[in-house]
Amino acid sequence: MTLKKRRFLFYFLVIVFAAAGAAIIFYSQGWRLTVKNGEWKIQKTGAIYIETKPAGVVIKIDKKIHKDKSGVIQGGTLISDLLPKKYELEISKNGYLSWQKNIEVKPEFVAEAIGLILIPNEIKSEAVPIRLRGEEFAGWSGNGKFIIKNTEAGIYYLYDLNDPATVFNATLNFKNLKNNGVIENLAFHPFDSNKLIVETKKGLDILDILRLKTENISSSKPIAWTVQNPNVYYVKENYEPESKTKKYNLYSFNLMLKTENVVAELDDRVSSDLPIKLAVSGSRDKIAVLNDSNDLYLFDFTLNNFNKISDGVKDFAFSPDNKKLAFSGANSKIGVYFLKDWTKNIIKKKGEIADLNFNLKDGEEIKKIYWHGNSYHLFVESRDADDSEKIAFVEIDNRPPLNQYDLFTGIADFHYEQRSGALYYIKENSLYFSEIFE
């Protein structure tokens, strides 16, 4: 081989090596050469990260099967080298209902599908050996004790899962202790399940069910109230003789220190129609107030002000992670208000609302909403035209399609116990439980 040919071969190999090396580097960095409509493009790829419960699922992206790599060490599955576009993602497993979502993959971005819970095809439930004397849950202690209300008679009964044979008539015992005192509402004491916070026409009291004695919290009837350890929060009317006007203040009563403090004065927007429901976030830095006109306001302790969240609201609840506030309204409207920036599955800034297009049949209306413990899902209790109720399970990821599943129908009421993951419901005066979320 001549010197000229050797030089040509050398430089040719150098060029090939450099080109191959550059191609490998670009490929490793996610660049891909694609052709679309006869036009060549260089694009960077993205990925989808998936976490499900249970694991061992079948993952399909645009009907192509990908292996589930989740396990003890790796919590989820990362599917990389996906060109930027929208994909149809389907998660399935034998014995479970499938889950679908349209997910957009962007260059250098990992789209998420996490916190997913697959629902069994057949949901098993068991009867609890307790014959109930009412049809509505009025409280749950977290250690097996719960309160049932007989709405027709207005009587509250206390039950204990650990002692099914024992029933405590809270209404009768309180009436005997307080000289014909009538319970209008009640809740468990936040750190003593043998005590109840009781509302009457004369104020708020603590009922000790073991010692059969009472202790007064407030001698004025609260307009609305709630309990968040270690405080009882309530709204009271205050008449100012000089201006001859009524003001409404939000108070807190510390159950440990036995002290009352003014939290805030309700401005005219909130109190123009009296509050009917309060809720305090688990971090105790925000209070949600729903008034009689169905306007929902949020009080921020840091900013010391009220901010209107939405109108036409019927029910609301703070999420367990204290980052979201869900609310329901007329026409099957469900919204999730983000208290902090959120980047899981969907990206929302603080103060934004994700609207969920919850599907109801004609004549159905939402009665209550509850959060699942992972803060990615809601339980929705709805009632149809025949007063029959059902429980649905819906995600807050509002990328289409919205995955919602009917769990139980023909019930009277239900309660989801976050600590155990069990779901309890009342049907024909009997108590049932299911551990599908354990």
Side-chain angles (χ1 to χ4, degrees), residues 21-57:
I24 292 172
I25 292 174
F26 275 95
Y27 189 88
S28 65
Q29 291 178 345
W31 293 98
R32 299 291 183 272
L33 182 64
T34 62
V35 59
K36 185 177 182 180
N37 298 327
E39 183 179 352
W40 289 90
K41 290 184 178 181
I42 297 178
Q43 294 179 298
K44 258 202 167 183
T45 59
I48 299 177
Y49 181 70
I50 301 165
E51 285 185 359
T52 67
K53 184 180 181 182
V57 299

mmCIF file of all heavy atoms in Angstrom, residues 21-57:
data_model
loop_
_atom_site.group_PDB
_atom_site.id
_atom_site.type_symbol
_atom_site.label_atom_id
_atom_site.label_comp_id
_atom_site.label_asym_id
_atom_site.label_seq_id
_atom_site.Cartn_x
_atom_site.Cartn_y
_atom_site.Cartn_z
ATOM 1 N N GLY A 21 -17.891 8.733 17.562
ATOM 2 C CA GLY A 21 -17.803 9.197 18.943
ATOM 3 C C GLY A 21 -18.802 10.298 19.234
ATOM 4 O O GLY A 21 -19.459 10.305 20.282
ATOM 5 N N ALA A 22 -18.914 11.244 18.290
ATOM 6 C CA ALA A 22 -19.882 12.333 18.465
ATOM 7 C C ALA A 22 -21.302 11.791 18.498
ATOM 8 O O ALA A 22 -22.138 12.231 19.294
ATOM 9 C CB ALA A 22 -19.725 13.357 17.345
ATOM 10 N N ALA A 23 -21.573 10.807 17.619
ATOM 11 C CA ALA A 23 -22.912 10.208 17.585
ATOM 12 C C ALA A 23 -23.235 9.509 18.891
ATOM 13 O O ALA A 23 -24.353 9.605 19.404
ATOM 14 C CB ALA A 23 -23.007 9.228 16.412
ATOM 15 N N ILE A 24 -22.236 8.811 19.437
ATOM 16 C CA ILE A 24 -22.453 8.116 20.716
ATOM 17 C C ILE A 24 -22.718 9.115 21.833
ATOM 18 O O ILE A 24 -23.611 8.923 22.677
ATOM 19 C CB ILE A 24 -21.234 7.232 21.043
ATOM 20 C CG1 ILE A 24 -21.140 6.064 20.053
ATOM 21 C CG2 ILE A 24 -21.330 6.701 22.478
ATOM 22 C CD1 ILE A 24 -19.879 5.249 20.184
ATOM 23 N N ILE A 25 -21.953 10.202 21.833
ATOM 24 C CA ILE A 25 -22.144 11.236 22.875
ATOM 25 C C ILE A 25 -23.533 11.859 22.758
ATOM 26 O O ILE A 25 -24.248 12.022 23.755
ATOM 27 C CB ILE A 25 -21.043 12.313 22.756
ATOM 28 C CG1 ILE A 25 -19.680 11.711 23.136
ATOM 29 C CG2 ILE A 25 -21.369 13.497 23.653
ATOM 30 C CD1 ILE A 25 -18.516 12.647 22.902
ATOM 31 N N PHE A 26 -23.901 12.227 21.511
ATOM 32 C CA PHE A 26 -25.222 12.820 21.312
ATOM 33 C C PHE A 26 -26.328 11.834 21.694
ATOM 34 O O PHE A 26 -27.335 12.208 22.300
ATOM 35 C CB PHE A 26 -25.395 13.258 19.845
ATOM 36 C CG PHE A 26 -24.854 14.623 19.560
ATOM 37 C CD1 PHE A 26 -23.572 14.794 19.053
ATOM 38 C CD2 PHE A 26 -25.620 15.755 19.808
ATOM 39 C CE1 PHE A 26 -23.071 16.060 18.799
ATOM 40 C CE2 PHE A 26 -25.123 17.026 19.554
ATOM 41 C CZ PHE A 26 -23.843 17.188 19.047
ATOM 42 N N TYR A 27 -26.154 10.553 21.362
ATOM 43 C CA TYR A 27 -27.144 9.534 21.688
ATOM 44 C C TYR A 27 -27.267 9.361 23.198
ATOM 45 O O TYR A 27 -28.369 9.252 23.742
ATOM 46 C CB TYR A 27 -26.767 8.199 21.025
ATOM 47 C CG TYR A 27 -27.844 7.148 21.137
ATOM 48 C CD1 TYR A 27 -28.845 7.046 20.186
ATOM 49 C CD2 TYR A 27 -27.866 6.250 22.213
ATOM 50 C CE1 TYR A 27 -29.845 6.092 20.281
ATOM 51 C CE2 TYR A 27 -28.858 5.298 22.324
ATOM 52 C CZ TYR A 27 -29.843 5.219 21.360
ATOM 53 O OH TYR A 27 -30.829 4.284 21.464
ATOM 54 N N SER A 28 -26.108 9.347 23.864
ATOM 55 C CA SER A 28 -26.129 9.182 25.318
ATOM 56 C C SER A 28 -26.768 10.365 26.014
ATOM 57 O O SER A 28 -27.274 10.251 27.125
ATOM 58 C CB SER A 28 -24.706 8.971 25.845
ATOM 59 O OG SER A 28 -23.916 10.129 25.624
ATOM 60 N N GLN A 29 -26.736 11.529 25.353
ATOM 61 C CA GLN A 29 -27.360 12.723 25.931
ATOM 62 C C GLN A 29 -28.834 12.846 25.555
ATOM 63 O O GLN A 29 -29.486 13.825 25.900
ATOM 64 C CB GLN A 29 -26.609 13.978 25.472
ATOM 65 C CG GLN A 29 -25.211 14.090 26.062
ATOM 66 C CD GLN A 29 -24.473 15.312 25.569
ATOM 67 O OE1 GLN A 29 -24.876 15.947 24.586
ATOM 68 N NE2 GLN A 29 -23.384 15.663 26.248
ATOM 69 N N GLY A 30 -29.345 11.846 24.834
ATOM 70 C CA GLY A 30 -30.770 11.812 24.533
ATOM 71 C C GLY A 30 -31.176 12.366 23.191
ATOM 72 O O GLY A 30 -32.369 12.479 22.908
ATOM 73 N N TRP A 31 -30.218 12.719 22.338
ATOM 74 C CA TRP A 31 -30.554 13.229 21.011
ATOM 75 C C TRP A 31 -30.892 12.076 20.079
ATOM 76 O O TRP A 31 -30.227 11.048 20.061
ATOM 77 C CB TRP A 31 -29.396 14.043 20.433
ATOM 78 C CG TRP A 31 -29.125 15.324 21.154
ATOM 79 C CD1 TRP A 31 -28.184 15.548 22.112
ATOM 80 C CD2 TRP A 31 -29.817 16.550 20.976
ATOM 81 N NE1 TRP A 31 -28.228 16.841 22.555
ATOM 82 C CE2 TRP A 31 -29.238 17.506 21.870
ATOM 83 C CE3 TRP A 31 -30.867 16.969 20.166
ATOM 84 C CZ2 TRP A 31 -29.663 18.810 21.956
ATOM 85 C CZ3 TRP A 31 -31.297 18.280 20.252
ATOM 86 C CH2 TRP A 31 -30.710 19.181 21.133
ATOM 87 N N ARG A 32 -31.958 12.265 19.250
ATOM 88 C CA ARG A 32 -32.352 11.256 18.288
ATOM 89 C C ARG A 32 -32.654 11.924 16.936
ATOM 90 O O ARG A 32 -33.213 13.032 16.888
ATOM 91 C CB ARG A 32 -33.604 10.496 18.751
ATOM 92 C CG ARG A 32 -33.432 9.753 20.058
ATOM 93 C CD ARG A 32 -32.486 8.566 19.943
ATOM 94 N NE ARG A 32 -32.386 7.831 21.190
ATOM 95 C CZ ARG A 32 -31.516 8.120 22.162
ATOM 96 N NH1 ARG A 32 -30.678 9.135 22.033
ATOM 97 N NH2 ARG A 32 -31.496 7.394 23.256
ATOM 98 N N LEU A 33 -32.298 11.209 15.864
ATOM 99 C CA LEU A 33 -32.592 11.672 14.516
ATOM 100 C C LEU A 33 -33.887 11.020 14.072
ATOM 101 O O LEU A 33 -33.994 9.791 14.006
ATOM 102 C CB LEU A 33 -31.447 11.299 13.565
ATOM 103 C CG LEU A 33 -31.596 11.761 12.101
ATOM 104 C CD1 LEU A 33 -31.611 13.285 12.022
ATOM 105 C CD2 LEU A 33 -30.464 11.185 11.256
ATOM 106 N N THR A 34 -34.899 11.825 13.773
ATOM 107 C CA THR A 34 -36.212 11.302 13.407
ATOM 108 C C THR A 34 -36.662 11.909 12.082
ATOM 109 O O THR A 34 -36.159 12.953 11.649
ATOM 110 C CB THR A 34 -37.261 11.626 14.481
ATOM 111 O OG1 THR A 34 -37.404 13.056 14.594
ATOM 112 C CG2 THR A 34 -36.854 11.061 15.828
ATOM 113 N N VAL A 35 -37.631 11.251 11.476
ATOM 114 C CA VAL A 35 -38.219 11.763 10.244
ATOM 115 C C VAL A 35 -39.730 11.785 10.394
ATOM 116 O O VAL A 35 -40.345 10.832 10.873
ATOM 117 C CB VAL A 35 -37.805 10.900 9.025
ATOM 118 C CG1 VAL A 35 -38.237 9.453 9.207
ATOM 119 C CG2 VAL A 35 -38.383 11.487 7.732
ATOM 120 N N LYS A 36 -40.331 12.906 10.063
ATOM 121 C CA LYS A 36 -41.763 13.075 10.161
ATOM 122 C C LYS A 36 -42.247 13.888 8.976
ATOM 123 O O LYS A 36 -41.758 14.988 8.731
ATOM 124 C CB LYS A 36 -42.152 13.771 11.478
ATOM 125 C CG LYS A 36 -43.658 13.862 11.695
ATOM 126 C CD LYS A 36 -43.980 14.495 13.037
ATOM 127 C CE LYS A 36 -45.482 14.547 13.272
ATOM 128 N NZ LYS A 36 -45.810 15.169 14.577
ATOM 129 N N ASN A 37 -43.203 13.292 8.232
ATOM 130 C CA ASN A 37 -43.730 13.930 7.025
ATOM 131 C C ASN A 37 -42.612 14.258 6.037
ATOM 132 O O ASN A 37 -42.608 15.315 5.387
ATOM 133 C CB ASN A 37 -44.510 15.205 7.383
ATOM 134 C CG ASN A 37 -45.707 14.926 8.264
ATOM 135 O OD1 ASN A 37 -46.340 13.876 8.148
ATOM 136 N ND2 ASN A 37 -46.032 15.863 9.150
ATOM 137 N N GLY A 38 -41.662 13.335 5.961
ATOM 138 C CA GLY A 38 -40.565 13.503 5.016
ATOM 139 C C GLY A 38 -39.505 14.498 5.447
ATOM 140 O O GLY A 38 -38.574 14.788 4.693
ATOM 141 N N GLU A 39 -39.612 15.022 6.683
ATOM 142 C CA GLU A 39 -38.663 16.018 7.167
ATOM 143 C C GLU A 39 -37.836 15.432 8.305
ATOM 144 O O GLU A 39 -38.370 14.890 9.261
ATOM 145 C CB GLU A 39 -39.419 17.260 7.659
ATOM 146 C CG GLU A 39 -38.514 18.388 8.125
ATOM 147 C CD GLU A 39 -39.306 19.609 8.586
ATOM 148 O OE1 GLU A 39 -40.544 19.624 8.385
ATOM 149 O OE2 GLU A 39 -38.690 20.521 9.131
ATOM 150 N N TRP A 40 -36.526 15.544 8.168
ATOM 151 C CA TRP A 40 -35.624 15.024 9.198
ATOM 152 C C TRP A 40 -35.437 16.057 10.311
ATOM 153 O O TRP A 40 -35.293 17.249 10.062
ATOM 154 C CB TRP A 40 -34.268 14.688 8.579
ATOM 155 C CG TRP A 40 -34.301 13.488 7.682
ATOM 156 C CD1 TRP A 40 -34.554 13.483 6.349
ATOM 157 C CD2 TRP A 40 -34.095 12.135 8.070
ATOM 158 N NE1 TRP A 40 -34.535 12.204 5.849
ATOM 159 C CE2 TRP A 40 -34.244 11.347 6.886
ATOM 160 C CE3 TRP A 40 -33.805 11.492 9.261
ATOM 161 C CZ2 TRP A 40 -34.111 9.969 6.900
ATOM 162 C CZ3 TRP A 40 -33.673 10.120 9.270
ATOM 163 C CH2 TRP A 40 -33.829 9.371 8.102
ATOM 164 N N LYS A 41 -35.444 15.541 11.558
ATOM 165 C CA LYS A 41 -35.266 16.411 12.726
ATOM 166 C C LYS A 41 -34.355 15.748 13.740
ATOM 167 O O LYS A 41 -34.311 14.515 13.839
ATOM 168 C CB LYS A 41 -36.616 16.716 13.402
ATOM 169 C CG LYS A 41 -37.534 17.624 12.616
ATOM 170 C CD LYS A 41 -38.794 17.926 13.429
ATOM 171 C CE LYS A 41 -39.717 18.870 12.687
ATOM 172 N NZ LYS A 41 -40.936 19.185 13.484
ATOM 173 N N ILE A 42 -33.625 16.570 14.475
ATOM 174 C CA ILE A 42 -32.848 16.089 15.611
ATOM 175 C C ILE A 42 -33.569 16.540 16.874
ATOM 176 O O ILE A 42 -33.765 17.739 17.093
ATOM 177 C CB ILE A 42 -31.412 16.633 15.588
ATOM 178 C CG1 ILE A 42 -30.679 16.140 14.338
ATOM 179 C CG2 ILE A 42 -30.657 16.193 16.835
ATOM 180 C CD1 ILE A 42 -29.264 16.660 14.215
ATOM 181 N N GLN A 43 -34.000 15.576 17.693
ATOM 182 C CA GLN A 43 -34.775 15.879 18.900
ATOM 183 C C GLN A 43 -34.157 15.218 20.124
ATOM 184 O O GLN A 43 -33.542 14.152 20.029
ATOM 185 C CB GLN A 43 -36.218 15.367 18.747
ATOM 186 C CG GLN A 43 -37.025 16.064 17.681
ATOM 187 C CD GLN A 43 -38.419 15.477 17.580
ATOM 188 O OE1 GLN A 43 -38.584 14.303 17.264
ATOM 189 N NE2 GLN A 43 -39.436 16.291 17.859
ATOM 190 N N LYS A 44 -34.336 15.875 21.262
ATOM 191 C CA LYS A 44 -33.943 15.264 22.524
ATOM 192 C C LYS A 44 -35.108 14.478 23.094
ATOM 193 O O LYS A 44 -36.263 14.894 22.996
ATOM 194 C CB LYS A 44 -33.484 16.329 23.520
ATOM 195 C CG LYS A 44 -31.972 16.410 23.650
ATOM 196 C CD LYS A 44 -31.543 17.040 24.948
ATOM 197 C CE LYS A 44 -30.056 16.808 25.178
ATOM 198 N NZ LYS A 44 -29.606 17.345 26.476
ATOM 199 N N THR A 45 -34.823 13.359 23.727
ATOM 200 C CA THR A 45 -35.862 12.497 24.261
ATOM 201 C C THR A 45 -36.227 12.873 25.693
ATOM 202 O O THR A 45 -35.534 13.644 26.359
ATOM 203 C CB THR A 45 -35.415 11.031 24.225
ATOM 204 O OG1 THR A 45 -34.214 10.892 24.995
ATOM 205 C CG2 THR A 45 -35.156 10.584 22.805
ATOM 206 N N GLY A 46 -37.325 12.281 26.156
ATOM 207 C CA GLY A 46 -37.758 12.412 27.534
ATOM 208 C C GLY A 46 -38.040 11.040 28.118
ATOM 209 O O GLY A 46 -37.622 10.019 27.571
ATOM 210 N N ALA A 47 -38.774 11.019 29.225
ATOM 211 C CA ALA A 47 -39.025 9.741 29.898
ATOM 212 C C ALA A 47 -40.332 9.816 30.679
ATOM 213 O O ALA A 47 -40.895 10.893 30.887
ATOM 214 C CB ALA A 47 -37.868 9.392 30.827
ATOM 215 N N ILE A 48 -40.805 8.648 31.102
ATOM 216 C CA ILE A 48 -41.970 8.538 31.989
ATOM 217 C C ILE A 48 -41.567 7.681 33.177
ATOM 218 O O ILE A 48 -40.997 6.594 33.006
ATOM 219 C CB ILE A 48 -43.179 7.897 31.277
ATOM 220 C CG1 ILE A 48 -43.615 8.738 30.081
ATOM 221 C CG2 ILE A 48 -44.347 7.726 32.251
ATOM 222 C CD1 ILE A 48 -44.754 8.116 29.284
ATOM 223 N N TYR A 49 -41.856 8.183 34.386
ATOM 224 C CA TYR A 49 -41.587 7.420 35.613
ATOM 225 C C TYR A 49 -42.909 6.991 36.221
ATOM 226 O O TYR A 49 -43.823 7.810 36.388
ATOM 227 C CB TYR A 49 -40.793 8.263 36.609
ATOM 228 C CG TYR A 49 -40.459 7.522 37.888
ATOM 229 C CD1 TYR A 49 -39.541 6.483 37.889
ATOM 230 C CD2 TYR A 49 -41.094 7.860 39.085
ATOM 231 C CE1 TYR A 49 -39.242 5.798 39.053
ATOM 232 C CE2 TYR A 49 -40.794 7.177 40.253
ATOM 233 C CZ TYR A 49 -39.869 6.141 40.228
ATOM 234 O OH TYR A 49 -39.579 5.461 41.378
ATOM 235 N N ILE A 50 -43.016 5.706 36.580
ATOM 236 C CA ILE A 50 -44.288 5.118 37.016
ATOM 237 C C ILE A 50 -44.123 4.440 38.369
ATOM 238 O O ILE A 50 -43.177 3.663 38.571
ATOM 239 C CB ILE A 50 -44.790 4.093 35.977
ATOM 240 C CG1 ILE A 50 -44.979 4.770 34.612
ATOM 241 C CG2 ILE A 50 -46.086 3.438 36.435
ATOM 242 C CD1 ILE A 50 -45.105 3.806 33.479
ATOM 243 N N GLU A 51 -45.029 4.739 39.300
ATOM 244 C CA GLU A 51 -45.093 4.050 40.597
ATOM 245 C C GLU A 51 -46.531 3.611 40.826
ATOM 246 O O GLU A 51 -47.449 4.431 40.728
ATOM 247 C CB GLU A 51 -44.651 4.956 41.739
ATOM 248 C CG GLU A 51 -43.158 5.179 41.830
ATOM 249 C CD GLU A 51 -42.779 5.999 43.051
ATOM 250 O OE1 GLU A 51 -43.702 6.410 43.803
ATOM 251 O OE2 GLU A 51 -41.587 6.250 43.256
ATOM 252 N N THR A 52 -46.720 2.343 41.127
ATOM 253 C CA THR A 52 -48.067 1.827 41.323
ATOM 254 C C THR A 52 -48.166 1.006 42.608
ATOM 255 O O THR A 52 -47.172 0.523 43.136
ATOM 256 C CB THR A 52 -48.489 0.917 40.147
ATOM 257 O OG1 THR A 52 -47.688 -0.267 40.156
ATOM 258 C CG2 THR A 52 -48.332 1.628 38.824
ATOM 259 N N LYS A 53 -49.399 0.865 43.059
ATOM 260 C CA LYS A 53 -49.706 -0.035 44.161
ATOM 261 C C LYS A 53 -50.965 -0.809 43.766
ATOM 262 O O LYS A 53 -51.995 -0.183 43.507
ATOM 263 C CB LYS A 53 -49.935 0.740 45.451
ATOM 264 C CG LYS A 53 -50.169 -0.154 46.662
ATOM 265 C CD LYS A 53 -50.385 0.667 47.925
ATOM 266 C CE LYS A 53 -50.600 -0.244 49.133
ATOM 267 N NZ LYS A 53 -50.858 0.514 50.375
ATOM 268 N N PRO A 54 -50.858 -2.157 43.647
ATOM 269 C CA PRO A 54 -49.692 -3.009 43.902
ATOM 270 C C PRO A 54 -48.672 -2.941 42.766
ATOM 271 O O PRO A 54 -48.940 -2.366 41.712
ATOM 272 C CB PRO A 54 -50.308 -4.411 43.980
ATOM 273 C CG PRO A 54 -51.489 -4.330 43.064
ATOM 274 C CD PRO A 54 -52.038 -2.941 43.240
ATOM 275 N N ALA A 55 -47.506 -3.546 42.987
ATOM 276 C CA ALA A 55 -46.478 -3.632 41.960
ATOM 277 C C ALA A 55 -46.744 -4.852 41.078
ATOM 278 O O ALA A 55 -47.764 -5.528 41.226
ATOM 279 C CB ALA A 55 -45.105 -3.722 42.611
ATOM 280 N N GLY A 56 -45.813 -5.136 40.180
ATOM 281 C CA GLY A 56 -45.974 -6.288 39.303
ATOM 282 C C GLY A 56 -47.030 -6.083 38.251
ATOM 283 O O GLY A 56 -47.785 -7.006 37.925
ATOM 284 N N VAL A 57 -47.096 -4.869 37.683
ATOM 285 C CA VAL A 57 -48.130 -4.536 36.714
ATOM 286 C C VAL A 57 -47.604 -4.674 35.288
ATOM 287 O O VAL A 57 -46.403 -4.817 35.058
ATOM 288 C CB VAL A 57 -48.639 -3.096 36.939
ATOM 289 C CG1 VAL A 57 -49.244 -2.943 38.318
ATOM 290 C CG2 VAL A 57 -47.494 -2.090 36.753
#
